Amino acid sequence: GDSVTQMEGPVTLSEEAFLTINCTYTATGYPSLFWYVQYPGEGLQLLLKATKADDKGSNKGFEATYRKETTSFHLEKGSVQVSDSAVYFCALRHSGSRLTFGEGTQLTVNP
Amino acid sequence: DAGVIQSPRHEVTEMGQEVTLRCKPISGHDYLFWYRQTMMRGLELLIYFNNNVPIDDSGMPEDRFSAKMPNASFSTLKIQPSEPRDSAVYFCASSLGPVASTDTQYFGPGTRLTVL
């Protein structure tokens, strides 16, 4: 079945550092891929998405590129801020409406 | 739009009591999802509806859990009787449709349930 694997957290960075959170997936065909972010005490918010191979999703300085050849959708940001501290979830939607989520990666950014 | 609305935001109850969680999806969204989030199991899909009809309830843990969607603007998740292991944050989400242009799910703020 479909699955999503994220790099284990927690991740702790200093402000302005470069961020990468790895995400790989297992699915047949061409699923839609998502990154969601969850701030403390809140629900998940869509950060970015990509729907086909080589698409790049971007939002708020975050980027992720849909790599079919490596079945990956790694999240990157060039310069993180304290306000980026949150839990980040990679997810895929294959057929139907069901989303499959990764385990989540806790990011803490220190000033 | 106000987004997905959930109530209550927090619920504390005693083991054996009935608990009802409520959700109002975004107007016009045809899909509604119920999730449970715990530290041990992460984010789990419990059930989802399309046009008020349950499509996939394979994630519902046991018969103590039931979900209904009597109309397009309201859904409930009921636990009867509740147990301490049901303590979790329960999220409701909605989306327009199942294809790439419409499949973004929008989440509510969640209900934090504590069963003593």
Side-chain angles (χ1 to χ4, degrees):
Chain A
D2 296 346
S3 67
V4 176
T5 302
Q6 289 182 233
M7 67 183 287
E8 289 189 18
V11 175
T12 302
L13 297 173
S14 297
E15 206 164 23
E16 299 184 1
F18 184 86
L19 169 70
T20 299
I21 301 178
N22 290 338
C23 171
T24 57
Y25 68 89
T26 301
T28 56
Y30 293 88
S32 293
L33 300 175
F34 305 80
W35 277 102
Y36 278 86
V37 59
Q38 184 179 28
Y39 298 102
E42 298 184 11
L44 278 71
Q45 303 174 23
L46 178 69
L47 183 58
L48 52 85
K49 67 182 281 189
T51 59
K52 59 183 186 295
D54 300 325
D55 265 3
K56 177 185 284 188
S58 61
N59 185 27
K60 299 180 181 180
F62 290 89
E63 294 182 341
T65 301
Y66 190 139
R67 301 289 188 197
K68 177 67 175 174
E69 64 276 14
T70 54
T71 62
S72 65
F73 193 54
H74 304 322
L75 183 68
E76 297 181 337
K77 186 175 185 182
S79 177
V80 294
Q81 305 300 312
V82 172
S83 57
D84 294 327
S85 298
V87 180
Y88 292 81
F89 291 89
C90 185
L92 70 82
R93 184 191 68 76
H94 191 197
S95 57
S97 296
R98 190 184 189 94
L99 280 180
T100 299
F101 284 91
E103 306 87 0
T105 301
Q106 171 77 54
L107 170 67
T108 301
V109 180
N110 295 318
Chain B
D1 199 309
V4 175
I5 299 172
Q6 290 187 248
S7 64
R9 291 294 309 274
H10 302 274
E11 177 80 34
V12 180
T13 190
E14 293 188 346
M15 183 174 62
Q17 296 299 304
E18 178 180 294
V19 175
T20 300
L21 311 181
R22 297 173 176 79
C23 175
K24 176 179 169 56
I26 293 173
S27 177
H29 282 195
D30 290 336
Y31 287 78
L32 183 139
F33 306 82
W34 282 101
Y35 291 90
R36 178 172 67 176
Q37 185 178 40
T38 62
M39 289 293 292
M40 292 296 294
R41 301 173 67 91
L43 200 61
E44 305 172 276
L45 177 67
L46 300 177
I47 185 171
Y48 79 90
F49 296 83
N50 176 25
N51 291 324
N52 314 335
V53 176
I55 302 301
D56 182 353
D57 65 355
S58 59
M60 295 286 265
E62 49 198 273
D63 291 345
R64 297 185 298 106
F65 285 70
S66 62
K68 294 182 180 179
M69 193 165 185
N71 58 63
S73 59
F74 183 66
S75 177
T76 60
L77 177 67
K78 186 175 294 186
I79 308 173
Q80 165 63 16
S82 58
E83 297 182 2
R85 61 192 167 119
D86 301 330
S87 297
V89 181
Y90 291 81
F91 289 104
C92 178
S94 69
S95 70
L96 271 172
V99 297
S101 59
T102 62
D103 60 359
T104 298
Q105 292 185 21
Y106 296 86
F107 283 72
T111 296
R112 181 173 295 277
L113 174 64
T114 302
V115 182
L116 303 175

